Amino acid sequence: MAATRVLLLLSGRPESRPPFCPFAALDQQPRAPGVELPPNGRGVDLGVAVILQSSDQTVLLTRRTSTLKVSPNLWVPPGGHVEPDEELLDGGLRELWEESGLQLPQGQFSWVPLGLWESAYPPKLSWGLPKYHHIVLYLLVISQESQQQLQARIQPNAGEVSAFMWLGPDIAAAVAATEDGTETLKHLPQDLPSSVPAVELAENGGARLLALPTSTLLRTTPATADCRERVSSGTKFALTLWLQHLGR
């Protein structure tokens, strides 16, 4: 039922996966006798992620905590699993609330589906056989509130989120340009700031301002297992679609 809703919702919308997707790699190479993928009783899971845009055209990203067993330290939009009886938008708004504490008043936001992304973890076969497989629906949710108004109400879930930040179109374009799996990087602007403001959660429950080096956001997925913080490949895909939507 959920898969049918996605197909109907995304008719004609972009769908993609990273060029190094481990499931694609496994399909293209002979498998040694006796080597099987780890069992996954759930099969392919459906996920939803919310690109929350403020009225002043910035979008919210959160950094996953270092203690999470899947994709630690990655910068991603709020998101997670869609429950079987849940509408896609409802699932996205629930994940937004669970991770950031933000509840958007009815009638004060609009939304549009952006695209589908095939996600695996570990993200590369060189990291090990994939254990998790998701199809992620990215939703653009456009709030009538400003970044300042939204930030005043953010209460991140410290069990999942260790920091958050707002990206404008210029930085988002630079991040999206560092496409994972390509031989050469696209042209990057020479006037990028050396750092991006973020808010990091402290162990005592407080928060502090953080000047996050822009170079951190421009990292690509390494060839070997590495949990250093970076922006996920799927997030770069979603930022590209967001920028295209702004350009309309």
Side-chain angles (χ1 to χ4, degrees):
M1 182 67 176
T4 302
R5 294 201 305 267
V6 171
L7 289 174
L8 291 173
L9 186 64
L10 280 171
S11 177
R13 297 285 176 175
E15 53 184 285
S16 190
R17 64 184 180 187
F20 48 78
C21 175
F23 290 102
L26 286 168
D27 288 342
Q28 295 169 4
Q29 69 181 42
R31 195 173 303 169
V35 175
E36 299 292 339
L37 290 178
N40 182 354
R42 299 174 306 191
V44 181
D45 287 325
L46 175 62
V48 63
V50 170
I51 300 291
L52 176 63
Q53 176 187 315
S54 67
S55 62
D56 33 2
Q57 296 190 341
T58 59
V59 292
L60 175 67
L61 292 186
T62 62
R63 187 179 68 195
R64 291 170 59 83
T65 63
S66 60
T67 55
L68 291 172
K69 65 179 181 179
V70 177
S71 303
N73 285 328
L74 283 191
W75 284 95
V76 296
H81 293 293
V82 177
E83 300 298 334
D85 59 346
E86 197 172 35
E87 294 297 325
L88 296 169
L89 176 61
D90 292 341
L93 294 178
R94 173 184 53 76
E95 289 290 343
L96 176 66
W97 171 69
E98 289 178 357
E99 295 182 19
S100 72
L102 284 174
Q103 286 186 300
L104 303 182
Q106 287 293 329
Q108 294 190 27
F109 68 89
S110 58
W111 68 282
V112 63
L114 286 178
L116 284 173
W117 180 257
E118 184 177 6
S119 174
Y121 190 82
K124 285 188 174 183
L125 206 52
S126 56
W127 289 37
L129 289 173
K131 299 178 181 178
Y132 299 91
H133 193 188
H134 290 80
I135 299 298
V136 181
L137 168 64
Y138 286 99
L139 297 178
L140 172 60
V141 175
I142 305 171
S143 173
Q144 296 178 12
E145 295 180 272
S146 68
Q147 174 185 321
Q148 184 177 12
Q149 290 172 312
L150 291 167
Q151 179 143 330
R153 297 196 287 110
I154 287 182
Q155 295 181 319
N157 177 356
E160 297 186 55
V161 174
S162 61
F164 66 90
M165 64 179 170
W166 297 87
L167 288 186
D170 290 344
I171 297 295
V175 172
T178 56
E179 184 180 356
D180 288 322
T182 56
E183 294 297 326
T184 58
L185 296 182
K186 298 176 183 176
H187 174 72
L188 295 177
Q190 298 299 310
D191 56 350
L192 285 177
S194 60
S195 63
V196 177
V199 176
E200 187 171 54
L201 275 61
E203 292 184 0
N204 62 5
R208 68 182 184 94
L209 294 178
L210 172 69
L212 183 70
T214 303
S215 58
T216 298
L217 303 178
L218 305 182
R219 290 173 178 159
T220 58
T221 305
T224 55
D226 187 336
C227 292
R228 289 186 302 165
E229 66 179 300
R230 55 184 171 82
V231 178
S232 78
S233 301
T235 302
K236 294 176 182 180
F237 167 72
L239 290 176
T240 299
L241 297 181
W242 172 60
L243 292 167
Q244 292 172 356
H245 186 273
L246 280 184
R248 293 171 188 166

